[in-house]
């Protein structure tokens, strides 16, 4: 296949293209970063970071820029493409991210941390920093992880089921405010029509996935693939027999979990019990 020829000479990488278009529209308007900030709101440094590709910003700020530049939704479209671009993730996760974006239903078992799709900002930052990320790489990966939440929050989102080991709810963050934010976020997500959350209490004992975090993805073709993960590596499982074995273990474990209503009550009780300030 012949290499695609660049027509405009502009970047073909979604994140870089979004930043480039922001700069071009501002220069065409003849406005400074400070001038944009005075009209649109937010801090001028935020717009500078977006134009440099250090951050994508959120949908609210992009919608405001769309209105300011009169781009008729084009900037928001470019932002959505940048958020969904798998190349922003670390290389070992990119194949999985492509499949996750295509999935028509997803179900997950979490051993000790909330699923990435359900992580609040403070949790995502501390979890990724724990993997020795820092500086601009940390900021990009936090933003990439939070951007994945659009999959469950957009129009016609796919059904998502997550079973959380009780250990997920008992392993605090160092920042107790961020931890309470995470528990509240889980309780809020549990109320969404497309999301089913269940808690697997310690009293359930050992089971077939005791040490295995796993995500199942049903693809448009009807095929199901699995992704297993530990602290060191993740593995995409596509062989039918292996996926079926993991599914059987998941189904058996689901029978041991609390009901969705009981699980949300469990999360709220855990939130009530969490101290507002870290203990000394």
């Amino acid at each position: 296949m012949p290499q695609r020829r660049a027509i405009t000479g502009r970047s073909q990488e979604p994140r870089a293209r979004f930043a480039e278009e922001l700069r071009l529209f501002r220069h065409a308007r003849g406005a400074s970063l400070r001038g944009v900030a005075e009209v649109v709101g937010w801090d001028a440094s935020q717009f500078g970071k977006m134009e440099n590709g250090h951050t994508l910003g959120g949908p609210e700020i992009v919608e405001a820029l769309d209105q300011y530049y009169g781009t008729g939704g084009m900037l928001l479209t470019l932002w959505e493409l940048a958020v969904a671009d798998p190349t922003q993730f670390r290389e070992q996760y990119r194949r999985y991210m492509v499949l996750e974006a295509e999935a028509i239903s997803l179900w997950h078992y979490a051993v000790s941390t909330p699923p990435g799709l359900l992580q609040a900002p403070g949790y995502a930052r501390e979890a990724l920093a724990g993997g020795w990320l820092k500086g601009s790489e940390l900021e990009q990966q936090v933003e990439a992880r939070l951007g994945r939440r659009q999959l469950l929050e957009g129009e016609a989102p796919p059904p998502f089921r997550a079973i959380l080991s009780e250990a997920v709810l008992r392993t605090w963050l160092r920042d107790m405010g961020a931890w309470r934010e995470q528990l509240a976020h889980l309780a809020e997500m549990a109320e969404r029509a497309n999301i089913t959350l269940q808690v697997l209490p310690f009293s359930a004992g050992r089971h077939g996935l005791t040490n295995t975090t796993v995500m199942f993805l049903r693809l448009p073709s009807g095929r199901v693939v699995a992704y297993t993960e530990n602290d060191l590596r993740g593995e995409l499982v596509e062989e039918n027999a292996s996926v079926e074995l993991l599914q059987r273990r998941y189904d058996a474990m689901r029978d041991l979990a609390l009901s969705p209503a009981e699980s949300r009550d469990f999360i709220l009780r855990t939130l009530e019990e969490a101290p507002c300030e870290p203990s000394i």
Side-chain angles (χ1 to χ4, degrees), residues 27-69:
H27 292 161
R29 177 66 69 94
S32 65
L33 290 172
R34 187 182 299 274
V36 174
E38 290 175 352
V39 176
V40 177
W42 286 277
D43 190 89
S45 64
Q46 174 75 1
F47 296 119
K49 291 177 181 177
M50 292 171 68
E51 291 188 8
N52 290 329
H54 294 158
T55 181
L56 292 173
E60 297 84 3
I61 191 171
V62 178
E63 287 177 346
L65 288 171
D66 244 333
Q67 293 182 358
Y68 175 69
Y69 293 126

Side-chain angles (χ1 to χ4, degrees), residues 13-276:
E13 192 272 310
R15 189 182 183 99
R17 180 61 175 270
F18 175 67
E20 187 176 8
E21 295 294 341
L22 287 176
R23 293 193 300 272
L24 289 171
F25 281 124
R26 182 171 61 80
H27 292 161
R29 177 66 69 94
S32 65
L33 290 172
R34 187 182 299 274
V36 174
E38 290 175 352
V39 176
V40 177
W42 286 277
D43 190 89
S45 64
Q46 174 75 1
F47 296 119
K49 291 177 181 177
M50 292 171 68
E51 291 188 8
N52 290 329
H54 294 158
T55 181
L56 292 173
E60 297 84 3
I61 191 171
V62 178
E63 287 177 346
L65 288 171
D66 244 333
Q67 293 182 358
Y68 175 69
Y69 293 126
T71 49
M74 189 188 82
L75 280 179
L76 189 59
T77 298
L78 290 174
W79 177 83
E80 290 173 341
L81 292 172
V83 166
D85 179 26
T87 64
Q88 67 185 309
F89 298 100
R90 305 182 83 180
E91 186 173 356
Q92 65 264 39
Y93 302 124
R94 290 177 185 172
R95 167 71 174 152
Y96 169 78
M97 294 304 171
V98 170
L99 295 176
E100 182 183 82
E102 297 174 353
I104 58 175
S105 65
L106 312 90
W107 53 110
H108 185 279
Y109 171 61
V111 171
S112 59
T113 62
L117 289 168
L118 297 180
Q119 288 183 11
Y123 195 101
R125 180 176 300 281
E126 188 166 314
L128 289 166
W132 307 106
L133 296 180
K134 59 183 179 180
S136 60
E137 185 180 10
L138 173 61
E139 295 304 319
Q140 180 173 336
Q141 291 304 309
V142 169
E143 191 165 62
R145 179 166 294 185
L146 297 178
R148 290 168 60 199
R149 301 194 309 183
Q150 295 294 318
L151 178 69
L152 301 180
E153 298 175 3
E155 294 184 7
F160 177 73
R161 175 185 295 274
I163 301 175
L164 311 179
S165 166
E166 186 175 340
V168 174
L169 306 176
R170 300 299 186 191
T171 307
W172 296 353
L173 294 175
R174 295 186 186 92
D175 183 340
M176 191 54 64
W179 177 235
R180 291 179 60 83
E181 174 193 43
Q182 178 62 58
L183 291 174
H185 181 66
L186 288 174
E188 179 184 347
M189 292 298 100
E191 293 187 302
R192 291 179 177 261
N194 64 306
I195 296 177
T196 302
L197 287 187
Q198 291 180 264
V199 172
L200 184 71
F202 290 143
S203 59
R206 294 188 62 82
H207 51 82
L209 294 173
T210 297
N211 300 311
T212 304
T213 289
V214 61
M215 175 77 90
F216 298 96
L217 308 174
R218 185 177 299 279
L219 304 177
S221 65
R223 184 168 67 101
V224 176
V225 300
Y227 182 80
T228 61
E229 189 174 37
N230 58 34
D231 288 339
L232 295 179
R233 64 190 295 269
E235 179 183 5
L236 189 64
V237 182
E238 300 186 75
E239 196 268 323
N240 289 339
S242 297
V243 172
E244 184 178 349
L245 175 60
L246 288 169
Q247 283 186 287
R248 288 204 303 268
R249 294 184 178 187
Y250 184 91
D251 289 342
M253 181 188 59
R254 185 174 59 185
D255 292 340
L256 302 174
L258 302 178
S259 71
E262 292 170 333
S263 296
R264 186 171 184 276
D265 289 342
F266 192 104
I267 294 169
L268 290 174
R269 286 198 305 273
T270 307
L271 175 58
E272 292 173 359
E273 296 166 0
C276 295

